[in-house]
Amino acid sequence: MTTTAPVPTLDSLNGTSLVEAYLAANPETRSYLHATFQGKRTSGDDLVDKHLKPMIDTVYRQIRALVDPSTLTTAQARMYIAELAVFARHNAQFLRLAAAQVYGSCPALGHEFDRNFLEEGGEPGKVPAHYILYTRALLTDLGLLVNGHVPADETAKLVLQHQVLVNSHMTGLIAGGYYATEGVAVAETEILRDITDRYGELTIQATGAELQNLDYYYRLHLDEGHEAAQIGGMSVEEAHIEGLARFLRQSDLFRLDLPQALEGFLQIFNAMAHWWTQLAYRARELN
């Protein structure tokens, strides 16, 4: 499906969210979402493949353009790195809470959350917790200490919205919200890699594989052949995305309410797009 959306700037957004702008530019998707909420559209495959995935791809291309990693100053790159580390700090515990919330109504979804939790939180005898790997890599390669960083207001708001979501009594809402979280993970990891490369370029004149620990961390998430990949043909992050998408695709099989799942998706996807936008405004103020 071909999608359109105007190329945004911080000035042209002027209080309009990236998601609102996307839906305004893509009335077919806007109508499909409306019809799904009204119970008139029930295909999880169509919802995911024709509407949610294209929206994620387009909005995150726009986010990349707003951030523009190759132009960041040292202070701007450091700000992004510190703020982006905050959600990683809490993600494993959110996955565990989500699993506990849904096991009674959908054991298969609880199992999927537990699988993700063991990868993110560290499984004995395998790769350590991803947050530990990441923060050690920042310290070792770039001399950056982000442990204990007190988040900016927009980051604290994003964490709060995830916390509210995983404590919901609505299984479909949690499934949809976590599909949004996982659905953007590849794009976010690629942007973060470019930001840490930019910081390395400006501070120690090293990027990519020269930053050995960070390079390992990024390949762990993005490379199909990495030792941490457990599902053939897919990277760790791709497997997380498809694992969660399955529950939207087969909502009838798992007795999940599809409008409820769409609500969860929009709550978290809007929150994450808003978070990136607000960080971009904050970075501009550092100029």
Side-chain angles (χ1 to χ4, degrees):
M1 177 181 174
T2 301
T3 62
T4 61
V7 177
T9 66
L10 291 178
D11 292 324
S12 68
L13 278 172
N14 193 27
T16 302
S17 78
L18 291 172
V19 178
E20 289 172 346
Y22 179 87
L23 294 177
N26 292 274
E28 182 182 350
T29 289
R30 182 181 59 200
S31 296
Y32 198 93
L33 299 192
H34 290 185
T36 300
F37 279 125
Q38 294 167 335
K40 298 175 182 178
R41 295 286 185 272
T42 59
S43 171
D45 283 325
D46 285 349
L47 178 64
V48 169
D49 292 328
K50 296 180 179 179
H51 300 286
L52 301 187
K53 279 189 172 182
M55 180 160 58
I56 290 170
D57 290 344
T58 300
V59 168
Y60 268 78
R61 282 198 301 271
Q62 295 173 334
I63 287 170
R64 173 179 285 280
L66 290 176
V67 174
D68 200 2
S70 66
T71 67
L72 296 177
T73 66
T74 302
Q76 289 170 329
R78 184 169 56 242
M79 181 277 295
Y80 277 114
I81 292 167
E83 295 303 321
L84 288 164
V86 172
F87 183 74
R89 185 191 300 173
H90 302 291
N91 190 31
Q93 76 185 65
F94 285 157
L95 283 163
R96 194 171 190 183
L97 286 168
Q101 286 293 96
V102 306
Y103 256 117
S105 57
C106 188
L109 180 59
H111 177 74
E112 179 65 20
F113 284 138
D114 267 343
R115 185 180 72 81
N116 290 3
F117 162 70
L118 287 171
E119 289 184 0
E120 289 286 339
E123 191 170 358
K126 296 186 179 180
V127 177
H130 290 187
Y131 176 69
I132 299 301
L133 280 177
Y134 179 56
T135 54
R136 283 179 180 172
L138 288 175
L139 195 57
T140 303
D141 290 349
L142 298 175
L144 273 177
L145 179 68
V146 298
N147 307 74
H149 169 72
V150 178
D153 289 347
E154 51 266 36
T155 306
K157 182 185 290 186
L158 177 68
V159 171
L160 174 61
Q161 288 180 271
H162 276 271
Q163 184 175 12
V164 170
L165 177 93
V166 299
N167 280 288
S168 174
H169 63 287
M170 294 179 283
T171 303
L173 192 83
I174 296 173
Y178 248 101
Y179 174 64
T181 301
E182 296 295 351
V184 307
V186 169
E188 289 203 329
T189 303
E190 290 173 343
I191 295 171
L192 179 55
R193 179 177 59 190
D194 287 350
I195 293 172
T196 52
D197 273 352
R198 175 62 173 170
Y199 187 85
E201 175 190 5
L202 292 172
T203 57
I204 60 171
Q205 294 74 55
T207 63
E210 296 170 309
L211 305 172
Q212 294 182 5
N213 297 279
L214 284 165
D215 182 59
Y216 176 85
Y217 175 81
Y218 294 131
R219 287 189 294 103
L220 181 154
H221 286 81
L222 300 174
D223 287 4
E224 296 171 359
H226 195 278
E227 61 182 310
Q230 297 183 12
I231 297 177
M234 287 190 284
S235 68
V236 166
E237 292 298 355
E238 288 171 338
H240 287 184
I241 293 168
E242 288 307 311
L244 269 298
R246 176 181 175 224
F247 292 91
L248 275 67
R249 295 182 190 281
Q250 298 178 285
S251 58
D252 286 345
L253 176 65
F254 294 106
R255 299 181 180 179
L256 297 178
D257 186 85
L258 192 59
Q260 194 179 91
L262 178 57
E263 168 67 23
F265 174 86
L266 288 176
Q267 283 186 19
I268 297 303
F269 187 63
N270 264 298
M272 299 187 85
H274 175 77
W275 173 57
W276 276 103
T277 304
Q278 295 308 302
L279 289 182
Y281 282 118
R282 182 178 289 273
R284 185 165 71 173
E285 292 173 359
L286 292 175
N287 263 338

